[in-house]
Amino acid sequence: MFKRNQQTRAYSNYNRFCGQHFKDRFEKFQQHFFEDGGRAHDAAAVPVNIAENAEFYEVQVFAAGRKKEQFQVSINDGILKISCTENENDNAAYIYKEHPGAAFEREFQLNEQVLTDNVHASFEEGVLTVILPKDLENIKTPKEVVID
């Protein structure tokens, strides 16, 4: 009823795709996934939480496996810049590595409520915490507008 080599047009296109390009695409995927840990070393791979209370903002950068000496925190033109250098003393021969330990940099635009003179940073248990105090005298309280 059917010949052994008879193929539909759709199947032949699929076969051509798999035969010619699949291997190359799969090898690129493997290289990206296993060498980069599935990430492209972007800054978003370093998680950050920002909390606000009545007196200050708190920025927490979760950077396990790093040391306090690797971080730099600066404020310039209303921008908070947090950077971390690469782990240089890591000579282990990994067979699989998900935590890249790569350098990163994060920047945050500060509002006019932050007192940049009294910023405090600390590093404890893999979390860098930056405290940005508010200028309590210049905070504009929200006002409710009555709808007529």
Side-chain angles (χ1 to χ4, degrees):
M1 182 182 288
F2 294 101
K3 294 182 182 177
R4 185 175 192 104
N5 294 329
Q6 184 180 10
Q7 301 172 352
T8 65
R9 187 173 293 186
Y11 179 77
S12 65
N13 288 339
Y14 174 77
N15 194 24
R16 188 178 316 127
F17 169 77
C18 289
Q20 294 177 355
H21 302 290
F22 180 75
K23 184 178 177 183
D24 294 335
R25 290 179 182 177
F26 187 69
E27 285 176 1
K28 282 183 182 180
F29 167 75
Q30 281 183 314
Q31 181 181 9
H32 171 73
F33 187 78
F34 290 112
E35 290 182 8
D36 293 341
R39 294 186 174 96
H41 297 297
D42 61 48
V46 179
V48 174
N49 287 348
I50 301 174
E52 177 183 10
N53 69 31
E55 298 175 359
F56 60 87
Y57 295 98
E58 181 180 45
V59 179
Q60 292 181 317
V61 180
F62 296 89
R66 299 208 166 77
K67 295 181 174 90
K68 177 174 84 171
E69 296 79 25
Q70 292 178 268
F71 288 95
Q72 290 182 327
V73 178
S74 63
I75 297 175
N76 190 12
D77 292 331
I79 296 177
L80 171 66
K81 180 177 171 182
I82 301 171
S83 58
C84 184
T85 59
E86 190 167 350
N87 237 348
E88 296 174 0
N89 299 331
D90 193 7
N91 297 326
Y94 294 101
I95 58 170
Y96 183 75
K97 185 177 180 182
E98 286 189 356
H99 186 271
F104 68 86
E105 184 175 290
R106 301 290 304 262
E107 291 184 346
F108 304 93
Q109 179 70 48
L110 302 177
N111 62 27
E112 63 278 350
Q113 296 178 354
V114 175
L115 278 175
T116 58
D117 297 335
N118 299 327
V119 174
H120 173 73
S122 63
F123 186 75
E124 188 176 332
E125 297 182 7
V127 180
L128 175 71
T129 302
V130 181
I131 302 295
L132 302 159
K134 291 182 179 180
D135 185 1
L136 299 176
E137 294 175 2
N138 291 328
I139 293 178
K140 297 177 183 175
T141 57
K143 296 181 181 181
E144 189 172 330
V145 177
V146 179
I147 301 173
D148 293 329

